[in-house]
Amino acid sequence: MKKFVVGNWKMNGTTTGVQEYAQGLIQILPAASCEIGIAVPSLYLPQLSARLGATSVAVVAQDVSQFKGPGAYTGEISAQMLKDAGCTHVLIGHSERRHVFAEDDLVLVGKIACAVDAGLVPIICIGEELHIRQQGRYLEELARQLAVIERTRDLLPATVWVAYEPVWAIGTGLVASTAQISEAHAFLADKLRELLPKSKTARLLYGGSVKGSNAAEILALPGVDGVLVGSASLTVSELGAIIAGTKVALPA
Ligand code: PGA
């Protein structure tokens, strides 16, 4: 199965930037041997999907409302609207949403339900904070965060995407070691096998300071089905280096 490289622009970008980026991406696509998804701010999603609609690149939303709507929810963007804008996937529970915007399990369950209902594939993000890792309680914490998947397991599509992103590795330049990634992914794969119905399979992305120079090593790890990339996804050249890393990871 092909690896999945998802770029998350966060709150970055301009109209001109999206245009240039899409153009650059189209040029490197023929050489790519992985699936690619790009998450731009909501405002730019229709523009990105107009540029990339004819390609295999998935247009990914960074967030979605927990409310189905339509309705009186000022500032919110519904799953149906994201679908209408050309999105196929949506990030849910990114650590910045959990920590800066205080999203809890109840909110996340609502978001997953709305996303699936609109036909969007959720990419559910989980990860432990530094103090939890230092206290040695990280596996327990990851298991706790899987509760949102347990509560929505009957709704989820046949392929359940989960991104493991240790909070201490996001935007810090600190990458989890290959041993730490392998341990977390093996643990999550086991737990997800237990809690998902037999008809569903979990696929796991790693995220946290992934860049061109470390992507191949991470992508080669068993149990790593792809990467979720923040700052290094902002330029096509760096994203291209990560995409090239998926080739190294493929068996000969
Ligand atoms: P980063 O962000 O690659 O900049 O560490 C990862 C993420 O937030 O998904």
Side-chain angles (χ1 to χ4, degrees), residues 205-224:
L205 306 179
Y206 167 77
S209 299
V210 175
K211 48 186 189 275
S213 57
N214 60 24
E217 188 185 25
I218 294 169
L219 285 157
L221 295 171
V224 174

Side-chain angles (χ1 to χ4, degrees), residues 8 10 94 96 165 169-172 207-210 228-232:
N8 172 14
K10 310 191 180 182
H94 186 278
E96 284 142 25
E165 299 199 291
I170 296 178
T172 56
S209 299
V210 175
L228 179 53
V229 186
S231 57

Side-chain angles (χ1 to χ4, degrees), residues 37-242:
I38 305 294
V40 292
S42 310
L43 192 62
Y44 302 127
L45 288 169
Q47 188 194 349
L48 189 73
S49 81
R51 293 291 297 150
L52 298 178
T55 73
S56 58
V57 177
V59 176
V60 183
Q62 296 178 10
D63 186 31
V64 62
S65 178
Q66 65 184 296
F67 302 108
K68 190 170 176 213
Y73 301 106
T74 302
E76 287 289 270
I77 296 176
S78 73
Q80 203 56 56
M81 291 169 183
L82 294 174
K83 183 82 183 162
D84 190 35
C87 293
T88 53
H89 295 66
V90 56
L91 303 181
I92 291 182
H94 186 278
S95 88
E96 284 142 25
R97 299 300 317 173
R98 290 176 190 262
H99 299 115
V100 185
F101 300 96
E103 291 185 0
D104 61 12
D105 282 7
L106 193 65
V107 169
L108 299 180
V109 165
K111 291 185 176 207
I112 293 170
C114 286
V116 175
D117 186 59
L120 296 171
V121 177
I123 301 172
I124 301 162
C125 307
I126 62 172
E128 81 285 358
E129 290 174 87
L130 183 59
H131 69 277
I132 291 180
R133 162 110 357 215
Q134 285 169 339
Q135 291 163 4
R137 293 189 293 115
Y138 53 98
L139 296 180
E140 200 181 314
E141 171 63 9
L142 293 178
R144 190 195 64 74
Q145 291 183 23
L146 291 180
V148 297
I149 296 177
E150 193 167 5
R151 286 164 70 179
T152 53
R153 66 179 168 188
D154 294 327
L155 308 175
L156 291 168
T159 302
V160 179
W161 286 100
V162 177
Y164 169 58
E165 299 199 291
V167 177
W168 46 272
I170 296 178
T172 56
L174 283 176
V175 192
S177 68
T178 51
Q180 287 170 326
I181 298 171
S182 294
E183 182 194 30
H185 277 234
F187 174 79
L188 289 169
D190 272 354
K191 284 277 166 208
L192 286 160
R193 247 191 309 274
E194 278 169 30
L195 66 82
L196 288 173
K198 293 277 166 285
S199 56
K200 302 187 186 188
T201 316
R203 302 203 72 213
L204 292 166
L205 306 179
Y206 167 77
S209 299
V210 175
K211 48 186 189 275
S213 57
N214 60 24
E217 188 185 25
I218 294 169
L219 285 157
L221 295 171
V224 174
D225 299 305
V227 284
L228 179 53
V229 186
S231 57
S233 73
L234 289 171
T235 61
V236 173
S237 59
E238 192 66 18
L239 187 77
I242 294 167

